[in-house]
Amino acid sequence: MIFLDAAATTPVRREVLDAMWPYFTGSFGNASSHHTLGEAAAAALAGARASVAGVLGCRQGDVVFTSGGTEADNLAVKGIALARQAANPSLNRVVISAVEHPAVEESARYLERFHGFAVDVVPVDGAGQVTPNALAAVLRPETALVSIMYANNEVGTIQPIAALAERAHEHGIPFHTDAVQAAGWLPLDTKALGVDAMSISGHKLGAPKGCGMLFVRSRTRLEPVIHGGGQERGRRSGTENVAGAVGLATALTLARDRQAEEQARVAALRDRFIGAVAGGVPDAVLTGHPTERLPSIASFCFPGTSGESVLLELERHGVVCSSGSACAAGSDAPSTVLTAMGIPAEMAQTAVRFSFDASVTRGDLDLAAAAVSAAVARVKNLGAGQTR
Ligand code: PLP
């Protein structure tokens, strides 16, 4: 099988599993317990926090471990907006982009349904980017928070985060970014990015599912969304996932240390793959930004097909990929990311996303590109829909 669905999830890296193992077995303590086992767990958690803070260039106290990207996004969007509204009831609007993951979008809609917020959606251009001017146009004195993703999970487009955060700050508005897809590929220095909050998920970069984190700059007010025993300095209650935190810290450190090499190598492979797909399927349309895109994502529309049919055909050739984000899989609705980019719904139904982790090889991608031309040709011949 050639696995080209790394934006959905990645296998756990060997080094990550090795680092986690002791905290599943001998050192299995609860980090809140006042005995040696508990203290060992607390020390491991503190070590993980220090490593993560090193990668993010932030204070250790700014790191809140969560169960993953969805929880981190919920905590950022709800937690910051609600804390600001509590301090000043006139702050009752949130700004998100038109291409956010549902974890951000649905958190904003929850604020709208239950807490009297209005949601302002900033549009993207045809490449999927938010421009600083487009953001400035939707900011209001009542805006409590701006949340714009670092890189998109369907098309890989990278946002100009530092410039966008600066625009929000000119109006005194905190800025959150969902860096779930960016982590492992792009710089994560929170000072250089200028963000006040940033979400990361372990399973997109070689740590297991169910671990993640939210960076929250210390001056940013945050209302918790999970209440209980007051762990993570009261910002996220629940017995800490010590092994998960260690795994996330190890994966982030590995990614940081190898980033330059992996980014250049995978970007070159991605470009070769894009060229090969375009050669085999001349009417294929590459979606997303031509250059400001993640090394790890190549996404296309294949006119005259249905994305789902191409996926099934590709799987018969041993190539596994996705027709959009895994979260939207199974839904027949066209991708809102693609339609927000101005791609007509009919064309958006033909989308296929190929995504890679650092283990991808040239041989695999050459085989995959050949499979893509065969699959698209077959689906076109059969007529879209008949291979379902
Ligand atoms: N944000 C983005 C951009 C994602 O791609 C994903 C996962 O697909 C998430 C958030 C959710 O992360 P998790 O799967 O850790 O809940």
Side-chain angles (χ1 to χ4, degrees):
M1 183 179 81
I2 301 177
F3 180 74
L4 301 185
D5 202 14
T9 196
T10 59
V12 176
R13 283 189 171 193
R14 182 78 232 181
E15 302 93 319
V16 171
L17 194 57
D18 288 346
M20 294 174 71
W21 187 250
Y23 305 101
F24 289 127
T25 52
S27 300
F28 62 88
N30 182 324
S32 300
S33 298
H34 296 283
H35 49 61
T36 38
L37 265 184
E39 281 158 12
L45 195 63
R49 202 181 304 281
S51 303
V52 171
V55 174
L56 271 51
C58 68
R59 291 154 50 140
Q60 295 177 30
D62 298 350
V63 175
V64 181
F65 288 115
T66 66
S67 67
T70 299
E71 188 192 321
D73 285 342
N74 273 260
L75 179 55
V77 174
K78 297 176 188 171
I80 296 174
L82 289 174
R84 296 204 78 216
Q85 189 194 43
N88 176 355
S90 75
L91 295 173
N92 60 6
R93 306 186 79 91
V94 289
V95 170
I96 61 173
S97 85
V99 294
E100 293 305 311
H101 188 274
V104 164
E105 192 191 346
E106 290 304 316
S107 294
R109 296 293 169 201
Y110 163 83
L111 292 173
E112 185 177 54
R113 279 198 302 277
F114 295 105
H115 294 278
F117 279 82
V119 180
D120 296 306
V121 179
V122 56
V124 295
D125 60 22
Q129 268 190 334
V130 176
T131 63
N133 286 345
L135 174 60
V138 300
L139 298 178
R140 305 258 209 104
E142 305 82 43
T143 307
L145 173 72
V146 174
S147 178
I148 297 178
M149 68 196 334
Y150 195 168
N152 184 262
N153 47 302
E154 290 187 39
V155 295
T157 295
I158 300 167
Q159 302 294 348
I161 290 299
L164 296 172
E166 204 179 308
R167 278 298 154 94
H169 290 159
E170 283 164 10
H171 299 263
I173 304 166
F175 188 94
H176 164 251
T177 191
D178 172 340
V180 167
Q181 293 292 340
W185 299 107
L186 303 179
L188 294 177
D189 186 306
T190 51
K191 286 198 192 74
L193 289 168
V195 295
D196 303 289
M198 182 165 81
S199 308
I200 291 177
S201 171
H203 75 105
K204 310 287 185 178
L205 69 152
K209 293 157 194 67
C211 61
M213 58 146 296
L214 180 68
F215 153 78
V216 205
R217 203 174 289 292
S218 40
R219 61 168 182 264
T220 312
R221 287 170 191 260
L222 186 76
E223 181 63 29
V225 296
I226 297 182
H227 303 95
Q231 289 89 344
E232 297 293 299
R233 292 194 180 183
R235 292 166 299 180
R236 197 278 185 181
S237 288
T239 301
E240 299 91 338
N241 177 359
V242 177
V246 168
L248 176 65
T250 309
L252 275 172
T253 308
L254 279 173
R256 190 252 334 257
D257 294 347
R258 297 178 186 172
Q259 193 165 295
E261 183 274 323
E262 287 180 350
Q263 189 175 26
R265 183 170 50 80
V266 177
L269 290 175
R270 173 206 60 196
D271 290 343
R272 182 182 160 89
F273 177 71
I274 289 173
V277 169
V281 186
D283 62 350
V285 179
L286 180 71
T287 52
H289 198 284
T291 52
E292 292 299 304
R293 61 187 301 134
L294 289 173
S296 51
I297 295 185
S299 54
F300 299 91
C301 287
F302 296 117
T305 71
S306 96
E308 287 294 327
S309 306
V310 173
L311 280 195
L312 291 178
E313 199 55 43
L314 277 172
E315 191 156 9
R316 287 180 357 116
H317 288 81
V319 177
V320 181
C321 53
S322 156
S323 62
S325 74
C327 314
S331 119
D332 270 349
S335 149
T336 52
V337 170
L338 297 178
T339 51
M341 289 164 54
I343 295 176
E346 198 180 292
M347 176 78 118
Q349 299 276 20
T350 74
V352 179
R353 175 189 74 182
F354 304 91
S355 53
F356 328 117
D357 70 5
S359 68
V360 70
T361 65
R362 181 172 160 158
D364 279 354
L365 288 186
D366 287 351
L367 285 172
V372 171
S373 21
V376 170
R378 187 168 150 83
V379 172
K380 281 182 177 169
N381 280 342
L382 289 174
Q386 285 184 6
T387 55
R388 278 169 187 255

